Amino acid sequence: MAKRIRKGDQVIVIAGRDKGKTGEVVRVLGDKVVVSNVNIVKRHTKPNPQAGQPGGVIEREAPIHASNVMLFNPATGKGERVGTKVLEDGRRLRVFRSSGEAV
């Protein structure tokens, strides 16, 4: 996905069980992303006294493929495609394809 989605970005889910939900990217794992409050799964864990971790059923976010999320544009309230623009000094800037404004 050419690093179009980064940690801290506001995204909207466009496919799957959580379609339509928005959240912030917590972690990027190759071609997958972890989004806050999206794709919640129940994980049965054993207690680990050394780490101070109790056992039981824990709810946490699971990774979702990056192709199933789009960058959220607060100006339009929709998900939008992202392109890159090279500035005069050689820096790359992510821009929304529809409007051309910076992310």
Side-chain angles (χ1 to χ4, degrees), residues 1 3 16 24-25 30 34 42-43 54-55 61 65 68 72 75 77 80 85 99:
M1 294 303 292
K3 303 284 184 200
E24 185 178 329
V25 175
V34 178
K42 290 183 188 287
R43 174 103 171 113
E61 296 103 359
H65 200 272
N68 292 333
F72 184 73
E80 302 215 357
K85 184 178 177 183
S99 61

Side-chain angles (χ1 to χ4, degrees), residues 52-70:
Q53 187 179 33
V57 181
I58 298 170
E59 288 190 348
R60 65 179 188 132
E61 296 103 359
I64 185 170
H65 200 272
S67 65
N68 292 333
V69 297
M70 278 183 110

Side-chain angles (χ1 to χ4, degrees), residues 6 8 12 21-22 36-37 57 65 67 71 88 97 101:
R6 297 181 187 159
I12 185 166
K21 287 187 180 178
T22 59
S36 61
N37 298 323
V57 181
H65 200 272
S67 65
L71 217 59
E88 293 81 26
R97 290 242 181 112
E101 66 186 46

Side-chain angles (χ1 to χ4, degrees), residues 9-14 18-25 35-39 69-73 77-79:
D9 285 346
Q10 196 72 19
V11 294
I12 185 166
V13 180
I14 59 170
D18 295 318
K19 182 177 180 176
K21 287 187 180 178
T22 59
E24 185 178 329
V25 175
V35 183
S36 61
N37 298 323
V38 172
N39 199 19
V69 297
M70 278 183 110
L71 217 59
F72 184 73
N73 188 352
K78 296 187 211 173

Side-chain angles (χ1 to χ4, degrees), residues 75-93:
T76 61
K78 296 187 211 173
E80 302 215 357
R81 296 187 297 157
V82 181
T84 56
K85 184 178 177 183
V86 181
L87 302 176
E88 293 81 26
D89 57 356
R91 290 185 297 145
R92 290 181 180 265
L93 186 68

Side-chain angles (χ1 to χ4, degrees), residues 25-41:
V25 175
V26 179
R27 231 173 31 236
V28 178
L29 307 165
D31 60 348
K32 294 188 178 211
V33 293
V34 178
V35 183
S36 61
N37 298 323
V38 172
N39 199 19
I40 302 291
V41 295

